[in-house]
Amino acid sequence: ECYTHMSTCYVNSDKKGYIEEKIYDVTFDVEQHINHLKTLSVEDIEKQTPEILGNFPNTYTFTKSMGERLLKKHRGSLPMLIIRPSIVGSSYKEPYPGWVDNISAAGAIVFFCGLGIIRDGIGNINVVGDLIPVDYVVNATLVGTAYQANKDSLIVHNSGTSGSANPILWGVFVKSIERYFTSYPYEQQVNPPHGRFHPNKRQYEFWYFLRSKIPEKFFEALSKITFSKNMQKNVSKLKKVNQKGKMVSYLLAHFTCNEWIFDQPILKQFQESLSFEDQEQFYTDPSDIVWKHYVYLYC
């Protein structure tokens, strides 16, 4: 038997740099902290959210981090594996190349850049964007569970690509999206897919105002002068498009501006536990990913 818990690499997004496959110690009792939060009203929690989160970018990463520590505390002798995927993207091979069932995280960048909704984003093109195809995560989960079965211990696996010999930079990712949708544009494309990453929010706000808000204000003024209901309707759509693009940019900023290298030494042990035939079937090594090809599949 083995209890396998699906977490995220970004349980350590309150840190930066090199991240090991372990649960880092904290200076407070997690259970007491959670019990204290339960005594607060919803209004108080909302007011205190920045203080509660500390250096965590959102409630998802914060609660996942607390969850890992509770599992460690109460594991007893139960064999346990914690899988930490990084930013999960579409499949590389299975069930078929490019399979995806939602638009979130990196998928939101692909979709909104392809539509031309995100023309400017917050991020550093020179930092590693830790993408991992979903089928690699599934295989690592299956192989890792079999590997850890019946062992009286807890192990952690960072399922990502930044710690491999084959990472991808955010700049390469965005440029590949632009090339794909320039050649194969969406029918519903709002603007040409020429996205830019800006390294800080001040630069982003400047370019967002220049390339998105000024055209919006111009067409809004023109619609009022001409009394065109059709133009007013289009201006309303443009406002929603701009708001959506800005919201996505800010939601992802912590992950596109900062860099983590998630070490994964246990992956080699997973692979060595398999026969050659099983290694072919349950592929887990991201060093064989051809990134340009993968991004095109994702698009």
Side-chain angles (χ1 to χ4, degrees), residues 96-109:
Y96 53 82
W99 178 86
V100 67
D101 69 346
N102 65 71
I103 300 171
S104 61
I109 297 177

Side-chain angles (χ1 to χ4, degrees), residues 54-72:
N55 291 325
F56 284 96
N58 52 44
T59 55
Y60 175 77
T61 54
F62 172 77
T63 54
K64 281 289 190 182
S65 178
M66 298 299 103
E68 282 193 5
R69 291 177 168 88
L70 286 176
L71 286 171
K72 180 181 178 180

Side-chain angles (χ1 to χ4, degrees), residues 253-268:
H254 187 82
F255 306 98
T256 51
C257 288
N258 297 304
E259 184 173 74
W260 300 266
I261 303 300
F262 298 108
D263 196 19
Q264 46 186 189
I266 205 165
L267 183 62
K268 186 177 180 181

Side-chain angles (χ1 to χ4, degrees), residues 184-216:
Y184 309 101
Y186 279 129
E187 288 183 10
Q188 304 92 339
Q189 200 173 79
V190 178
N191 293 298
H194 300 309
R196 298 179 185 174
F197 264 5
H198 305 288
N200 57 64
K201 292 177 181 178
R202 180 178 293 181
Q203 283 190 30
Y204 166 77
E205 287 290 349
F206 172 79
W207 285 102
Y208 173 78
F209 180 78
L210 196 65
R211 301 215 301 168
S212 297
K213 291 303 290 184
I214 288 180
E216 175 191 310

